[in-house]
Amino acid sequence: MSYVMVALTVVAAGLAIVPLVAILGYLIKQGAGALSLEFFTSMPKPVGEAGGGMVNAILGTLILIGIASSVGLPIGIGAGLYLAERGGTRLANLVRFLADVLNGLPSIVMGIFAWEFLVRPIGHFSALAGGAAIGAMMIPLVTRTTEEMVRTVPQSLREAALALGFPRWRTSLQIVLRTALGGIVTGVLVAVARVAGETAPLLFTAFGNQFFSTKLTQPIAALPLQVFVYAISPYDEWHAQAWAGALVLIALILIISVISRFVVRSKHGRAND
Amino acid sequence: MQTRALQAYFGSTHAVRDVSLDFPANEVTAIIGPSGCGKSTLLRCLNRMHETIPLARVEGEVLFHGQNIYSPDVDPIALRRHVGMVFQRPTPFPTMSIRDNVAAGLRVQPGERLDRKQVDAIVEQALKQAALWDEVKDRLKGSATGISGGQQQRLCIARALATSPKVLLLDEPTASLDPLSTQKVEELVYELRKSMTVIIVTHNMQQAARVSDRTVFMLSGEMVETASTRVMFTTPSDPRTEAYITGRFG
Amino acid sequence: MQTPSLPATVTTPESRTLPTLATPLAGSPAAPPSRVSIEGTVVADRVYRAAIFGFALCVPILLLLIFVEVGVAGWPALRQFGFGFLTSSTWDPVAGQFGAAPAIAGTIITSIIALVIATPLALGGAIFLSDFAPSWVRQPLAFLIDLLAAVPSVVYGLWGVFFLLPLLREDVMPFLRDTLHLGATPFFRGPAYGPSVLAAGLILSIMVLPYIAAVSREVLMAVPRSQREAALALGATRWETITGAVIPFARSGIIGGVILGLGRALGETMAVTMVIGNRHELSASLFAPGYTMASLIANEFSEATNDVHLSALMAVGFVLLLITLVVNGIARWLVWQTGGSRS
């Protein structure tokens, strides 16, 4: 009985990774065929013409990540510092709970909220609205990692800084935050990887753009949006481009994930020597 | 530095009870007593570190250069720049090099910013004073966590000295050190009183006898006796002091 | 002098010159060395505290803003259609009639399918990882499952459109309906188009699996060693230890993880939109196309022609928001109870 059940857990673990292998395998097979240097350097071709690239969408995604980070990082890190330093208060517990709830907010709801709040009053779609929408999705993730990482910094280090005449704010920023930086960077990269692939919040904010645009007040193309539009189109050339775009998106996210693991490792390495 | 009717609490725990003491300038005063007697808490009241703990509070006065450090117009941060402190366990800042650790306190000093050369000179001075210069002079840019525990503790002393405080508080500075490092720190304490007032908390009576000019004996939050170290260890006036220093309890 | 004897004295000239060297640093604002300035206020610290307090407040404010903005925008539709908005299955933008029952039902059905498939696999995988896997398997496998959580929704959707849908249409659906004769039940009836409630449920199960697995694993690892050792010491097998000691201890955390997965499934948008077929129809058959609340919004929002239509979509968003807030609140509470910490 016991052995059968243990074997079943092995089977379950195996089945759990089958879809991943299937998805990645199929993605690489389909995407690699459509991918070329041109993909990174050219604009999309009109319907019916093969080839072309997504340089506008790749750049757009990077710009959106930039806007999102400048919204999400200060708020997330600041709120995380507050939770770590003011941990026990009732407000802190509420904020922590709400951050976790916000983390589970459906991305489409964030999308319609951003439209109602940022697009409708202004009157048109914009890169800023899209970036702000996915930046808001970064906040809970960054808040919780910052809190967890700052908590691992020993109290004695804070006391040492205070006793040297460091004001609280410098103790927090120059000693505590700097000591916890490795872990925080990891958390930030995980958050960036997550929002880089977000599509739903961008549908009615950044909107997408078939042309080359870097204007923050105008609609902007994004890789996941482009993949979506091409995937549901009826054209085979566009399907191929969608696969190539998806492969680039996954590669981008994979690279960010690997870097984040490397950051953790190097941090531990330093602590041990 | 003096305390007047000093009381310290942790929530409802009364940790320091009505202590009035003088710490003479340019002398080493040792505070001894069994663990939990409030000696560390007393020390932490002298640079207003006690209040950084949640629910902790202080009553009474501490006079520093004639000024009550608990009066509302005193900035605890400015005070701490004149009253250095070294803790039980070494606390080097792990993200900074050895040099930057020593220079850390200088960065928060008011007034003009020092240039690189001036900082380097002060770092060298402080490390020499802490008898660490020869051991680390070739690795000043190295990680501060890459040196031994004894070296780290002397680094922390150098860090406290770099800002030339008027008073140095040492909270069982050798508790986590090996005998050789302990001896080095003791020699250092003995030297320091030429330039500052030193107050050292220790649970080690031999250490108090070796390094201090005056000794304070505390028990259950109260100051039992204070006298010159020689008198205290030869002819204590309170029977409880005698019991403690002859090893009958604690 | 009452100086105690000291073994060795190190007198260095430096120690005497240090004060002079450093005088301009320490005492600089006030003049003479005898007078030391310790007065001042802690303005910067107050500013700092106010700043991080302000950042922390952004979290509840943001949530409140979302709640109010979406609620206010959806209010006209909710007021006009009342309770019927939740129960009516007529969604006709031309006639101005809006009832979200098919989308709500679709959301619940796809999420149930997802959980029924994903929970046993995720839990089995988590038990394997926490208790049986040798360490050389544990790390890479945990990494792979984490990676599954990092794949963007739109990529799942792409895979769903070009791999899962043809597979369902050509093989799985005919097999279920004809070979297994499940077509006799109302649930597996009708033509095999591909895009369907079943496809959405399947793709959701793949997507929520890593979340449930990650939380369950964390909760299982948080069970104290003593719990396991106590059971083993009583002569339990390793499997009996799991079912008798570990799982009861971690139960509420695991349930929390499953509900967290439910929260993801309820709100998942892109992949579902791409495979569910997007039709306002209530059908008992899982082979039929349908809608979820999220996919309804994604699909119709940019084409919403009039204010009522827009308000109705906002109202759907508001209902979805309410449901996920409750579900996530319960899940967090359960996970916190058992001491797990991660998302």
Side-chain angles (χ1 to χ4, degrees):
Chain A
M1 172 61 184
S2 190
Y3 283 104
V4 174
M5 295 313 289
V6 174
L8 277 181
T9 69
V10 179
V11 172
L15 280 177
I17 59 164
V18 163
L20 178 75
V21 176
I23 290 171
L24 287 186
Y26 198 67
L27 177 65
I28 290 168
K29 191 181 125 217
Q30 299 282 328
L35 203 57
S36 63
L37 191 63
E38 193 191 6
F39 188 83
F40 297 94
T41 56
S42 329
M43 292 292 295
K45 287 259 172 72
V47 175
E49 287 181 42
M54 289 197 189
V55 62
N56 57 337
I58 294 171
L59 193 69
T61 282
L62 295 179
I63 289 173
L64 286 169
I65 289 176
I67 300 170
S69 301
S70 52
V71 173
L73 296 194
I75 297 178
I77 291 175
L81 277 172
Y82 178 83
L83 291 185
E85 311 230 326
R86 280 264 184 269
T89 64
R90 196 172 282 190
L91 179 78
N93 286 334
L94 180 74
V95 168
R96 190 177 299 119
F97 180 74
L98 292 183
D100 280 352
V101 170
L102 192 61
N103 195 22
L105 186 86
S107 53
I108 189 77
V109 173
M110 187 63 90
I112 56 173
F113 161 70
W115 181 84
E116 182 72 25
F117 192 60
L118 294 172
V119 176
R120 193 179 212 181
I122 295 168
H124 57 84
F125 304 109
S126 68
L128 282 175
I134 58 174
M137 305 205 69
M138 284 175 75
I139 292 174
L141 282 169
V142 176
T143 300
R144 297 291 271 126
T145 0
T146 303
E147 183 197 358
E148 264 173 51
M149 291 304 140
V150 166
R151 276 178 190 281
T152 63
V153 176
Q155 194 59 30
S156 63
L157 222 54
R158 284 188 184 86
E159 294 205 326
L162 287 174
L164 264 184
F166 274 68
R168 286 252 176 206
W169 69 275
R170 295 186 76 150
T171 307
S172 254
L173 298 180
Q174 293 178 338
I175 305 296
V176 176
L177 198 61
R178 235 179 103 181
T179 307
L181 203 61
I184 293 174
V185 168
T186 302
V188 165
L189 287 173
V190 168
V192 166
R194 180 173 150 196
V195 302
E198 280 292 354
T199 317
L202 300 180
L203 286 172
F204 329 120
T205 52
F207 193 69
N209 194 331
Q210 281 298 306
F211 304 101
F212 191 88
S213 167
T214 54
K215 287 204 192 74
L216 301 187
T217 54
Q218 294 301 316
I220 197 166
L223 212 42
L225 270 181
Q226 201 98 335
V227 170
F228 172 63
V229 171
Y230 279 17
I232 60 173
S233 78
Y235 314 112
D236 284 342
E237 298 86 3
W238 279 14
H239 293 165
Q241 290 294 87
W243 283 110
L247 188 60
V248 172
L249 191 59
I250 286 280
L252 181 72
I253 288 165
L254 202 65
I255 290 168
I256 298 174
S257 306
V258 169
I259 291 175
S260 74
R261 286 194 183 237
F262 180 74
V263 170
V264 176
R265 200 156 295 165
S266 71
K267 179 193 141 215
H268 285 305
R270 201 169 59 220
N272 288 340
D273 68 26
Chain B
M1 200 166 222
Q2 296 143 316
T3 70
R4 293 287 173 263
L6 189 71
Q7 321 272 356
Y9 304 84
F10 292 101
S12 56
T13 313
H14 198 167
V16 172
R17 297 162 188 261
D18 195 26
V19 171
S20 298
L21 265 177
D22 283 17
F23 300 100
N26 291 56
E27 285 193 11
V28 177
T29 304
I31 305 176
I32 60 169
S35 40
C37 71
K39 53 190 193 299
S40 284
T41 308
L42 172 62
L43 194 73
R44 293 168 61 95
C45 290
L46 303 180
N47 64 343
R48 295 189 59 175
M49 281 300 287
H50 179 63
E51 68 201 48
T52 62
I53 299 166
L55 298 177
R57 66 201 160 83
V58 177
E59 288 165 11
E61 292 186 345
V62 175
L63 303 176
F64 176 61
H65 287 250
Q67 200 172 1
N68 178 19
I69 65 170
Y70 285 97
S71 91
D73 56 351
V74 166
D75 175 5
I77 292 155
L79 168 75
R80 289 179 200 136
R81 289 172 188 154
H82 298 291
V83 183
M85 188 170 203
V86 175
F87 299 86
Q88 231 181 73
R89 302 189 138 270
T91 53
F93 299 135
T95 56
M96 297 185 192
S97 67
I98 291 173
R99 173 192 178 277
D100 290 349
N101 257 279
V102 180
L106 297 173
R107 297 201 307 180
V108 292
Q109 292 292 323
E112 275 176 56
R113 275 202 92 70
L114 299 159
D115 65 39
R116 234 195 134 66
K117 272 199 180 135
Q118 286 172 299
V119 173
D120 284 338
I122 294 171
V123 167
E124 178 173 347
Q125 200 76 275
L127 283 171
K128 280 182 175 161
Q129 214 181 355
L132 189 60
W133 175 251
D134 290 331
E135 294 163 55
V136 300
K137 65 182 174 200
D138 300 323
R139 48 195 294 199
L140 289 174
K141 292 214 169 78
S143 165
T145 48
I147 54 180
S148 76
Q151 289 172 325
Q152 287 183 15
Q153 191 64 313
R154 277 178 285 147
L155 177 66
C156 292
I157 296 176
R159 186 172 67 188
L161 293 177
T163 56
S164 41
K166 302 284 181 281
V167 177
L168 183 65
L169 309 176
L170 302 165
D171 188 357
E172 303 198 22
T174 60
S176 61
L177 301 188
D178 60 280
L180 202 67
S181 302
T182 301
Q183 190 195 340
K184 282 190 171 156
V185 171
E186 285 182 6
E187 287 166 11
L188 174 63
V189 170
Y190 190 76
E191 276 303 303
L192 284 175
R193 64 194 169 136
K194 289 175 183 142
S195 47
M196 63 192 68
T197 308
V198 180
I199 305 170
I200 177 170
V201 162
T202 177
H203 60 262
N204 177 337
M205 279 176 286
Q206 284 70 37
Q207 183 169 66
R210 281 194 299 268
V211 301
S212 71
D213 303 306
R214 296 187 68 80
T215 300
V216 176
F217 173 59
M218 287 186 69
L219 194 62
S220 312
E222 283 172 40
M223 194 263 291
V224 175
E225 186 172 358
T226 173
S228 80
T229 299
R230 178 182 291 177
V231 173
M232 178 79 97
F233 282 98
T234 49
T235 53
S237 55
D238 193 297
R240 289 172 294 175
T241 316
E242 194 185 350
Y244 181 69
I245 60 178
T246 53
R248 264 183 273 154
F249 71 89
Chain C
M1 283 299 289
Q2 58 269 61
T3 313
S5 61
L6 197 78
T9 40
V10 264
T11 314
T12 52
E14 287 83 6
S15 61
R16 287 200 195 85
T17 53
L18 187 83
T20 25
L21 177 87
T23 306
L25 322 169
S28 65
S34 60
R35 179 91 185 111
V36 183
S37 160
I38 55 173
E39 285 157 16
T41 46
V42 277
V43 181
D45 275 357
R46 287 205 195 128
V47 172
Y48 172 72
R49 278 192 185 175
I52 60 170
F53 178 71
F55 284 131
L57 273 189
C58 285
V59 173
I61 289 173
L62 178 62
L63 209 54
L64 193 71
L65 261 181
I66 294 172
F67 200 78
V68 171
E69 286 278 339
V70 177
V72 166
W75 181 242
L78 287 174
R79 200 184 41 192
Q80 186 180 340
F81 303 109
F83 199 66
F85 187 75
L86 303 179
T87 54
S88 159
S89 55
T90 312
W91 182 280
D92 188 347
V94 182
Q97 283 301 314
F98 297 98
I104 295 173
T107 304
I108 293 168
I109 293 167
T110 50
S111 298
I112 289 174
I113 296 174
L115 287 192
V116 166
I117 296 171
T119 304
L121 293 181
L123 198 54
I127 292 172
F128 175 69
L129 280 177
S130 72
D131 280 81
F132 300 119
S135 57
W136 62 269
V137 177
R138 189 172 300 174
Q139 285 290 335
L141 204 59
F143 176 72
L144 276 179
I145 290 180
D146 280 354
L147 200 63
L148 207 56
V151 173
S153 178
V154 71
V155 175
Y156 281 106
L158 187 67
W159 178 77
V161 169
F162 293 103
F163 183 84
L164 186 65
L165 293 187
L167 185 73
L168 285 177
R169 186 170 52 231
E170 318 283 334
D171 303 313
V172 177
M173 284 176 165
F175 174 77
L176 288 173
R177 186 184 54 200
D178 306 328
T179 316
L180 293 182
H181 298 289
L182 289 174
T185 69
F187 307 117
F188 299 95
R189 197 170 271 180
Y193 297 118
S196 57
V197 171
L198 181 66
L202 284 175
I203 211 146
L204 280 178
S205 71
I206 298 172
M207 296 180 74
V208 299
L209 195 154
Y211 288 102
I212 302 177
V215 176
S216 304
R217 188 172 81 99
E218 188 135 314
V219 175
L220 288 173
M221 306 264 267
V223 174
R225 222 185 154 66
S226 56
Q227 290 283 322
R228 291 188 169 86
E229 281 168 358
L232 287 172
L234 287 173
T237 64
R238 289 175 79 184
W239 180 254
E240 285 162 354
T241 306
I242 301 284
T243 54
V246 176
I247 290 185
F249 194 91
R251 188 189 297 130
S252 66
I254 292 171
I255 295 172
V258 173
I259 299 178
L260 219 55
L262 174 65
R264 294 272 159 191
L266 291 171
E268 190 47 63
T269 312
M270 298 318 294
V272 174
T273 307
M274 291 162 85
V275 302
I276 200 169
N278 299 325
R279 261 232 318 255
H280 290 288
E281 232 167 73
L282 262 182
S283 168
S285 175
L286 301 179
F287 287 4
Y291 247 139
T292 66
M293 290 187 270
S295 65
L296 169 60
I297 300 169
N299 212 40
E300 293 196 359
F301 196 85
S302 27
E303 298 151 15
T305 42
N306 56 52
D307 286 349
V308 194
H309 193 184
L310 199 62
S311 176
L313 289 170
M314 283 289 185
V316 171
F318 189 65
V319 174
L320 179 60
L321 174 64
L322 284 183
I323 294 175
T324 48
L325 285 190
V326 171
V327 166
N328 275 306
I330 294 171
R332 290 299 168 188
W333 186 73
L334 286 170
V335 174
W336 280 12
Q337 297 260 301
T338 355
S341 62
R342 222 177 46 172
S343 56

